[in-house]
Amino acid sequence: MRKLKLLFVLCLLSTYISSQNSYEFGVAIGYTNYVGDLVVPTFTFAHARPAIGLIGKSQLTTNLAVRANFLFGRLIGDDQNYQRNIKRGNRFKASIFEFSFMGEYDLLGKRRFPKNEAARQILSPYVFAGIGLIALSSSIHYGRSDNPDIAANSSQIHPAIPMGMGLRKDVANRWHLTMEWGVRLTFSDYLDGVKYSGDPNDNDAYFFGGFTVGFNIDSFVEKETQSEEKLYTHPF
């Protein structure tokens, strides 16, 4: 009998926790910007290109959310743009497809979600980090026929670690805007097809920055209130 009661309590608790989740979807518009062996200096906006993305998010608590991202962008680099690299003569361009899963922490989440009230329309900063997988469709030109990277069998699929920060503004009951900037750290020096003819000890990376228009499927406060009412009407 005790085991049955414990099982009943655990079932109610799991239902209560899962019912706290609210869901959001968003469309992101921004840019991708490559940094690697074909860029001087290491960070520049000279090669930024337009990018678009889709975001699905589940709000677990007032501060914590998990999200899945799909991002499409382009990466380019050209030795001809930098005096010290002209003799090498490499260039590349690539379409990039990113699939990632992240955790997001809202620094002012408790203020944004006051108990049993509509979400406050405040400017709220957040940070995020996670894991991802990127797939490339690349076109690479080597300026010299004796370039050691020509013979390398480099993969077009790479793991990555996305991380960054953003600002969120709820603009209506179910709509919000975010401004976000982050880096994708990869475990490969071959996003640009260049390793041994560049710096073999420094992996490539790229940045994404942009704006997202999001829609809340249901509000966190509504779910919280509904679940509390349900729990109250179903005592142990």
Side-chain angles (χ1 to χ4, degrees), residues 4-5 58 81 86 93 100-101 148 156 183 189 191-192 200 207 217:
L4 288 176
K5 288 182 178 180
S58 176
N81 294 329
I86 286 179
K93 58 182 178 180
S100 57
F101 183 77
Q156 293 287 282
V183 62
D189 196 18
L191 294 190
D192 51 17
F207 293 91
I217 300 301

Short mmCIF file of all heavy atoms in Angstrom, two decimals, residues 4-5 58 81 86 93 100-101 148 156 183 189 191-192 200 207 217:
data_model
loop_
_atom_site.label_atom_id
_atom_site.label_comp_id
_atom_site.label_asym_id
_atom_site.label_seq_id
_atom_site.Cartn_x
_atom_site.Cartn_y
_atom_site.Cartn_z
N LEU A 4 2.20 1.90 -3.41
CA LEU A 4 1.19 2.47 -4.30
C LEU A 4 1.02 3.96 -4.04
O LEU A 4 0.88 4.76 -4.98
CB LEU A 4 -0.14 1.74 -4.12
CG LEU A 4 -0.22 0.31 -4.66
CD1 LEU A 4 -1.56 -0.32 -4.31
CD2 LEU A 4 -0.01 0.30 -6.17
N LYS A 5 1.02 4.35 -2.78
CA LYS A 5 0.89 5.78 -2.44
C LYS A 5 2.08 6.57 -2.96
O LYS A 5 1.94 7.67 -3.49
CB LYS A 5 0.76 5.94 -0.92
CG LYS A 5 -0.58 5.50 -0.36
CD LYS A 5 -0.64 5.74 1.14
CE LYS A 5 -1.99 5.36 1.71
NZ LYS A 5 -2.07 5.58 3.17
N SER A 58 11.72 25.57 -24.60
CA SER A 58 10.85 25.16 -23.52
C SER A 58 11.30 25.82 -22.23
O SER A 58 12.46 25.68 -21.83
CB SER A 58 10.88 23.63 -23.36
OG SER A 58 10.10 23.22 -22.25
N ASN A 81 42.75 39.31 -49.56
CA ASN A 81 42.35 40.50 -48.80
C ASN A 81 43.39 40.93 -47.79
O ASN A 81 43.25 41.99 -47.18
CB ASN A 81 41.03 40.23 -48.06
CG ASN A 81 39.87 40.03 -49.02
OD1 ASN A 81 39.83 40.60 -50.10
ND2 ASN A 81 38.92 39.19 -48.62
N ILE A 86 48.84 36.92 -49.31
CA ILE A 86 48.64 36.93 -50.76
C ILE A 86 49.41 35.83 -51.47
O ILE A 86 48.90 35.17 -52.39
CB ILE A 86 49.01 38.32 -51.34
CG1 ILE A 86 47.93 39.34 -50.96
CG2 ILE A 86 49.16 38.25 -52.85
CD1 ILE A 86 48.23 40.75 -51.47
N LYS A 93 34.58 29.38 -49.72
CA LYS A 93 33.23 29.80 -49.35
C LYS A 93 32.45 28.54 -49.01
O LYS A 93 32.70 27.46 -49.56
CB LYS A 93 32.55 30.58 -50.47
CG LYS A 93 32.42 29.83 -51.78
CD LYS A 93 31.78 30.74 -52.84
CE LYS A 93 31.69 30.00 -54.19
NZ LYS A 93 31.06 30.86 -55.23
N SER A 100 21.74 22.64 -33.06
CA SER A 100 22.31 22.75 -31.72
C SER A 100 21.23 22.65 -30.65
O SER A 100 20.05 22.91 -30.90
CB SER A 100 23.08 24.07 -31.56
OG SER A 100 22.25 25.18 -31.83
N PHE A 101 21.67 22.25 -29.46
CA PHE A 101 20.80 22.13 -28.29
C PHE A 101 21.48 22.88 -27.16
O PHE A 101 22.65 22.63 -26.86
CB PHE A 101 20.60 20.67 -27.93
CG PHE A 101 19.66 20.45 -26.78
CD1 PHE A 101 18.29 20.54 -26.94
CD2 PHE A 101 20.15 20.16 -25.51
CE1 PHE A 101 17.42 20.35 -25.88
CE2 PHE A 101 19.29 19.96 -24.44
CZ PHE A 101 17.92 20.06 -24.63
N PRO A 148 50.05 21.55 -48.72
CA PRO A 148 49.87 20.26 -48.05
C PRO A 148 48.42 19.96 -47.68
O PRO A 148 48.07 18.80 -47.43
CB PRO A 148 50.73 20.40 -46.80
CG PRO A 148 50.84 21.87 -46.56
CD PRO A 148 50.87 22.49 -47.92
N GLN A 156 33.27 17.16 -43.62
CA GLN A 156 32.37 18.30 -43.78
C GLN A 156 31.35 18.39 -42.63
O GLN A 156 30.46 19.24 -42.65
CB GLN A 156 31.62 18.18 -45.11
CG GLN A 156 32.50 18.32 -46.34
CD GLN A 156 32.95 19.75 -46.56
OE1 GLN A 156 32.20 20.59 -47.04
NE2 GLN A 156 34.19 20.04 -46.23
N VAL A 183 29.29 32.85 -30.14
CA VAL A 183 30.36 32.23 -30.90
C VAL A 183 30.11 30.73 -30.96
O VAL A 183 29.52 30.15 -30.05
CB VAL A 183 31.74 32.52 -30.26
CG1 VAL A 183 31.83 31.95 -28.85
CG2 VAL A 183 32.88 32.00 -31.14
N ASP A 189 40.12 22.47 -37.49
CA ASP A 189 40.83 23.56 -38.16
C ASP A 189 40.57 23.53 -39.67
O ASP A 189 41.30 24.14 -40.44
CB ASP A 189 42.34 23.45 -37.89
CG ASP A 189 43.09 24.73 -38.21
OD1 ASP A 189 42.44 25.78 -38.31
OD2 ASP A 189 44.31 24.67 -38.39
N LEU A 191 37.36 24.15 -41.24
CA LEU A 191 36.17 24.81 -41.79
C LEU A 191 36.51 25.51 -43.10
O LEU A 191 35.69 25.59 -44.01
CB LEU A 191 35.61 25.83 -40.80
CG LEU A 191 35.03 25.34 -39.47
CD1 LEU A 191 34.31 26.47 -38.76
CD2 LEU A 191 34.12 24.15 -39.67
N ASP A 192 37.72 26.04 -43.19
CA ASP A 192 38.18 26.77 -44.37
C ASP A 192 39.06 25.92 -45.28
O ASP A 192 39.59 26.42 -46.28
CB ASP A 192 38.94 28.03 -43.94
CG ASP A 192 40.02 27.72 -42.91
OD1 ASP A 192 40.41 26.54 -42.75
OD2 ASP A 192 40.48 28.67 -42.24
N PRO A 200 48.29 25.27 -37.53
CA PRO A 200 47.68 23.96 -37.22
C PRO A 200 47.27 23.81 -35.76
O PRO A 200 46.65 22.80 -35.41
CB PRO A 200 48.79 22.97 -37.58
CG PRO A 200 50.05 23.74 -37.40
CD PRO A 200 49.73 25.16 -37.80
N PHE A 207 30.98 33.29 -35.72
CA PHE A 207 30.07 34.02 -34.86
C PHE A 207 28.69 34.10 -35.50
O PHE A 207 28.56 34.06 -36.73
CB PHE A 207 30.57 35.44 -34.61
CG PHE A 207 31.84 35.50 -33.81
CD1 PHE A 207 33.08 35.50 -34.44
CD2 PHE A 207 31.81 35.54 -32.42
CE1 PHE A 207 34.25 35.55 -33.71
CE2 PHE A 207 32.98 35.60 -31.69
CZ PHE A 207 34.20 35.61 -32.33
N ILE A 217 3.72 29.88 -27.20
CA ILE A 217 2.56 29.01 -27.37
C ILE A 217 1.63 29.13 -26.17
O ILE A 217 0.41 29.19 -26.28
CB ILE A 217 2.99 27.55 -27.55
CG1 ILE A 217 3.89 27.44 -28.80
CG2 ILE A 217 1.78 26.64 -27.69
CD1 ILE A 217 3.23 27.88 -30.07
#
